[in-house]
C-alpha cells in the first residue's frame, strides 16, 4: 500500500492523495484579478492527479501584493474572477485552496521578467510598503512600521479575504507566514525590532500570526481546512530557528490550524542555503514532532519513490512540490505509475498512457 496515494481528511474535506501543488506566483494578474491563464494553469494539475492544488500567494489588501501583477482577494470583484478558476478545478475532480498573503516590506517589487529590479518606484505604479519595523529588505525601499490600528487592519483583511474565498468555493485556506513576507517578518528577530507586545520574546513575535489564525478560522467556519506556511529557519545568524518554528506550529494548531506547511528562508538576502534533494524535510520532521502537529514537506522532491520515502519515514504527512509540477503537470499520474499504484481517477482521455 502506498502512503503517498492514500487519502487524507481535514475537517470536511478529503484529499485523494498526499502529493500536492505548492502555491506559485504567476505574475499575470491585472489589478489583482485572475484570468484565463490562472484557470488553465491550475486546472491542468487536477487532470494530472494532484491531491490538492493551492493557488498562488493572493493578497488580502492591494498593498500586500508582492508585485503589481499578483492576484488578490480584497474585493467582491476579485472573488467573482476566482469563481471560474475554482469551478474548472472542481470540474476535473480536483480540490483547490488559496494562499492568503501580505508581502509586507517585500511588496511592490518588479516581477521576475520585468526590466526593473527591486522596488517598483511610485511613479511606475509602486507603493509604500509596511512592516513590523522600518527595516528594508536588502536593496528594497524602506517600509513604514505598522502601528496598532494598522496591525488590526491586517487581521481584519485576512478574515475578510478568507470569508470571500470560502464564498466562491475554495476548499482549503492557507495563511502565508513564510518566505520573508509580513507574518514571517513579525516572527523573525532579524526584521522585528519592536518593543511593544508584538516584539521581543517569541510569544510576542508570534502574536500577529496567531491573531490571524484565530480570525481566519472564525471567518472560514469549522469545516474548512486551514494550513499555515512557515519558514522554519532564516538560514542566517540571529534569525528564526527550527526550535521556534516547532513552538509556533504547536500554537497555530492550538488556535485552529490543521497543518503546518514547512518551508524555509526568504527573509534576508544574505541567507546561506545548502539546496539538495529533500533539504527541507528535516525541518518538516522537527515541526511535526512525531505526529503531534500535522506537517507537509517541500523542496526538491521530484519523484514518487522519494516522496513515498519521506512519508514512510514519518517525516511529514504530505508532500508539496512546485517546480516539478511546472515541469510535469501530471506529476501525480507519473508518480503513481512509478510506484505501481492504480488510481481510480486517472482521466479517461489519458488511459492509453496508464501502463506503457
Amino acid at each position: 500500500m502506498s502512503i503517498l496515494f492514500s487519502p487524507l481528511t481535514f475537517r470536511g474535506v478529503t484529499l485523494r492523495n498526499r502529493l500536492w501543488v505548492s502555491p506559485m506566483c504567476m505574475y499575470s494578474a491585472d489589478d489583482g484579478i485572475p484570468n484565463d491563464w490562472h484557470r488553465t494553469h491550475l486546472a491542468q494539475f487536477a487532470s494530472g492527479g494532484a491531491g490538492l492544488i493551492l493557488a498562488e500567494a493572493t493578497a488580502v489588501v492591494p498593498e500586500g501584493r508582492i508585485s503589481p501583477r499578483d492576484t488578490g482577494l480584497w474585493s467582491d470583484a476579485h472573488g467573482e474572477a476566482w469563481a471560474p478558476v475554482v469551478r474548472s478545478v472542481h470540474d476535473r475532480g480536483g480540490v483547490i485552496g488559496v494562499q492568503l498573503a501580505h508581502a509586507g516590506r517585500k511588496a511592490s517589487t518588479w516581477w521576475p521578467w520585468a526590466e526593473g529590479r527591486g522596488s517598483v518606484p511610485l511613479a511606475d505604479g509602486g507603493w509604500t510598503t509596511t512592516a513590523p519595523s522600518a527595516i528594508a529588505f536588502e536593496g528594497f525601499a524602506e517600509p513604514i512600521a505598522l502601528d496598532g490600528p494598522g496591525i488590526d487592519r491586517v487581521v481584519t483583511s485576512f478574515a475578510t479575504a478568507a470569508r470571500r474565498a470560502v464564498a466562491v468555493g475554495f476548499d482549503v485556506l492557507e495563511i502565508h507566514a513564510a518566505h520573508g513576507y509580513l507574518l514571517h517578518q513579525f516572527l523573525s528577530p532579524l526584521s522585528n525590532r519592536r518593543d511593544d507586545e508584538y516584539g521581543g520574546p517569541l510569544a510576542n513575535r508570534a502574536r500577529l500570526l496567531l491573531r490571524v489564525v484565530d480570525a481566519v478560522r472564525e471567518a472560514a467556519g469549522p469545516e474548512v481546512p486551514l494550513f499555515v506556511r512557515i519558514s522554519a529557519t532564516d538560514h542566517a545568524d540571529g534569525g528564526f530557528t527550527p526550535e521556534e518554528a516547532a513552538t509556533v506550529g504547536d500554537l497555530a494548531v492550538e488556535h485552529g490550524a490543521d497543518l503546518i506547511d514547512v518551508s524555509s528562508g526568504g527573509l534576508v538576502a544574505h541567507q546561506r542555503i545548502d539546496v539538495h534533494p529533500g533539504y527541507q524535510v528535516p525541518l518538516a520532521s522537527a515541526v511535526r514532532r512525531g505526529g503531534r502537529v500535522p506537517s507537509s514537506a517541500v523542496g526538491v522532491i521530484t519523484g514518487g519513490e522519494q516522496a513515498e520515502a519521506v512519508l514512510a519515514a514519518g517525516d511529514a504527512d504530505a508532500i508539496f512540490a512546485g517546480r516539478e509540477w511546472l515541469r510535469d503537470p501530471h506529476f501525480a499520474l507519473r508518480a503513481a505509475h512509478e510506484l505501481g499504484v492504480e488510481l481510480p481517477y486517472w482521466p479517461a482521455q489519458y488511459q492509453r498512457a496508464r501502463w506503457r
Side-chain angles (χ1 to χ4, degrees), residues 24 59 64 66 70 79 82 87 90 140-141 156 163 177-178 195 200 206 214 235 239 251 266 273 304 306 324 334 352:
M24 294 176 280
I66 301 167
D70 281 46
W82 275 112
R87 284 197 301 270
H90 287 164
F140 289 15
T156 300
R163 197 172 292 111
D195 57 7
D214 287 340
H235 297 288
L251 291 170
I273 307 177
Q306 180 193 12
E324 193 61 24
R334 171 167 58 83
R352 71 192 69 184

Side-chain angles (χ1 to χ4, degrees), residues 59-61 63 73-74 100 102 151-164 216:
V60 298
V61 289
E63 64 272 22
L73 257 174
W74 64 80
L100 303 177
H102 190 308
I151 290 174
D152 291 343
R153 285 192 294 272
V154 168
V155 176
T156 300
S157 297
F158 269 92
T160 302
R163 197 172 292 111
R164 189 171 284 121
V216 171

Side-chain angles (χ1 to χ4, degrees), residues 23-35 37-38 41 56-57 65-71 106 108-114 181:
M24 294 176 280
C25 290
M26 294 289 103
Y27 306 103
S28 299
D30 183 9
D31 196 26
I33 299 289
N35 51 50
W37 171 268
H38 301 87
H41 165 67
E56 64 192 79
R65 289 171 292 167
I66 301 167
S67 83
R69 301 189 66 173
D70 281 46
T71 57
K106 290 180 72 177
S108 189
T109 61
W110 293 102
W111 50 98
W113 56 88
Y181 300 125

Side-chain angles (χ1 to χ4, degrees), residues 29-355:
D30 183 9
D31 196 26
I33 299 289
N35 51 50
D36 273 351
W37 171 268
H38 301 87
R39 182 180 61 80
T40 57
H41 165 67
L42 293 168
Q44 67 180 338
F45 302 128
S47 298
L52 171 66
I53 301 156
L54 271 187
E56 64 192 79
T58 297
V60 298
V61 289
E63 64 272 22
R65 289 171 292 167
I66 301 167
S67 83
R69 301 189 66 173
D70 281 46
T71 57
L73 257 174
W74 64 80
S75 79
D76 289 343
H78 292 87
E80 292 168 4
W82 275 112
V85 179
V86 172
R87 284 197 301 270
S88 291
V89 171
H90 287 164
D91 287 347
R92 299 191 186 196
V95 174
I96 184 169
V98 63
Q99 186 183 65
L100 303 177
H102 190 308
R105 69 178 188 172
K106 290 180 72 177
S108 189
T109 61
W110 293 102
W111 50 98
W113 56 88
E115 293 183 2
R117 290 292 179 269
S119 298
V120 178
L122 299 182
D124 293 326
W127 55 88
T128 301
T129 61
T130 57
S133 304
I135 304 171
F137 183 84
E138 293 96 321
F140 289 15
E142 184 176 300
I144 295 174
L146 283 164
D147 59 13
I151 290 174
D152 291 343
R153 285 192 294 272
V154 168
V155 176
T156 300
S157 297
F158 269 92
T160 302
R163 197 172 292 111
R164 189 171 284 121
V166 172
V168 300
F170 280 108
D171 305 294
V172 175
L173 302 180
E174 178 168 271
I175 296 167
H176 200 354
H179 301 162
Y181 300 125
L182 183 65
L183 299 180
H184 183 188
Q185 292 161 28
F186 271 84
L187 288 172
S188 176
L190 294 177
S191 48
N192 184 346
R193 306 288 176 80
R194 300 177 73 96
D195 57 7
D196 62 3
E197 68 268 33
Y198 292 95
L202 178 62
N204 287 359
R205 287 183 276 123
R207 190 181 305 276
L208 176 56
L209 171 59
L210 297 179
R211 284 190 64 192
V212 169
V213 172
D214 287 340
V216 171
R217 168 50 64 209
E218 182 178 3
E223 293 302 308
V224 177
L226 175 59
F227 299 172
V228 176
R229 172 165 272 198
I230 62 172
S231 282
T233 175
D234 290 335
H235 297 288
D237 291 341
F240 193 59
T241 68
E243 293 75 21
E244 290 181 320
T247 298
V248 169
D250 273 343
L251 291 170
V253 169
E254 288 177 7
H255 281 251
D258 298 296
L259 177 136
I260 307 302
D261 176 5
V262 183
S263 188
S264 70
L267 185 86
V268 291
H270 62 272
Q271 65 186 7
R272 293 292 179 267
I273 307 177
D274 176 17
V275 178
H276 56 272
Y279 72 103
Q280 294 177 144
V281 170
L283 299 173
S285 182
V287 170
R288 190 172 186 264
R289 292 189 170 188
R292 279 173 38 206
V293 177
S295 76
S296 58
V298 68
V300 198
I301 298 174
T302 58
E305 291 185 359
Q306 180 193 12
E308 182 77 29
V310 171
L311 301 183
D315 291 323
D317 297 275
I319 302 295
F320 271 112
R323 291 174 177 85
E324 193 61 24
W325 281 103
L326 296 183
R327 286 186 284 263
D328 180 3
H330 306 104
F331 181 24
L333 301 184
R334 171 167 58 83
H337 182 75
E338 292 171 358
L339 293 171
V341 175
E342 185 172 353
L343 300 179
Y345 44 85
W346 193 290
Q349 296 89 338
Y350 297 165
Q351 288 291 332
R352 71 192 69 184
R354 194 166 187 168
W355 297 116

